[in-house]
Amino acid sequence: MNLLDAVAVFAAGVAAGGINTVVGSGSLITFPTLVALGYPPVVANVSNNIGLVPGGVTGAIGYRKELEGQRGRLLRLATASCVGAVIGGLLLLGLPEKAFNVIVIALIAIALVLVVVQPRLQKWMVRRREGEHRPHGGALLWIGVLFAGMYGGYFGAAQGIILIALLGIMLDDDLQRLNAGKNVLSAVVNGTAAILFTLTWLFGDTGIDWWVVLLIAAGSTCGGMIGASVGRRIPPMVLRGVIVVVGLVAIVNLLL
């Protein structure tokens, strides 16, 4: 890696950390950058996943005000994220690379549909739950977060879109508070997958470029703090629009 390559990876990390905090899909900047620099797809994906962990942590810390009162709910959902991340990571290491793009495109498309119809679905579910008190979203949300964790452990890009869609539909809460919860759950997924990949690397079964990890970690840490400052100022409708645009760009990038 020469100096220009290092600068490009660091800059991609900054952008990814900020986008992940506000929306999700930051990996759609870092992952293509690494592939363009000649890294094999799985090595790029795994190294990118580990490098984005610090950015996820700083993004969650930046939203600490919106996290107040969500501890019990997030602890419950974090178990689903953790289990899902392990399953997704194992699928990444075990499935052929040809399945990669097909699976990712399908999941992003489903997530975007959920984001668009979220307000109406949320009202419908609130009417159905009249008289019930389900601050944690019930078993259905836990299962949804489990599958989102599997997706995040497998690839990671747009898992934030999937999570914010699930939380927005299943929970009656402010979008910024849900976005804060999304940041925590995304950090849990990335952190769990990072531990799995590191353990398999120790046994020689996974390729990791630690220089890439270091540069993305440094960049995403800065980006996470920037994203937390900007993200909470975005109105709910604008934030939802940003989510849809980023998701559509993700699909186009993967198709190309």
Side-chain angles (χ1 to χ4, degrees), residues 148-214:
M150 291 173 58
Y151 171 81
Y154 183 78
F155 180 44
Q159 70 163 313
I161 294 176
I162 296 172
L163 282 170
I164 199 69
L166 287 169
L167 296 175
I169 290 169
M170 302 297 293
L171 299 173
D172 185 15
D173 207 339
D174 177 73
L175 187 60
Q176 293 293 353
R177 281 173 52 82
L178 297 180
N179 195 39
K182 175 266 293 180
N183 288 336
V184 171
L185 296 177
S186 295
V188 170
V189 171
N190 287 342
T192 302
I195 293 173
L196 172 65
F197 296 147
T198 302
L199 289 175
T200 56
W201 172 78
L202 290 173
F203 290 97
D205 294 330
T206 303
I208 299 174
D209 189 302
W210 290 104
W211 282 112
V212 168
V213 171
L214 180 62

Side-chain angles (χ1 to χ4, degrees), residues 37 98 142 204:
L37 292 176
K98 292 182 179 180
W142 194 94

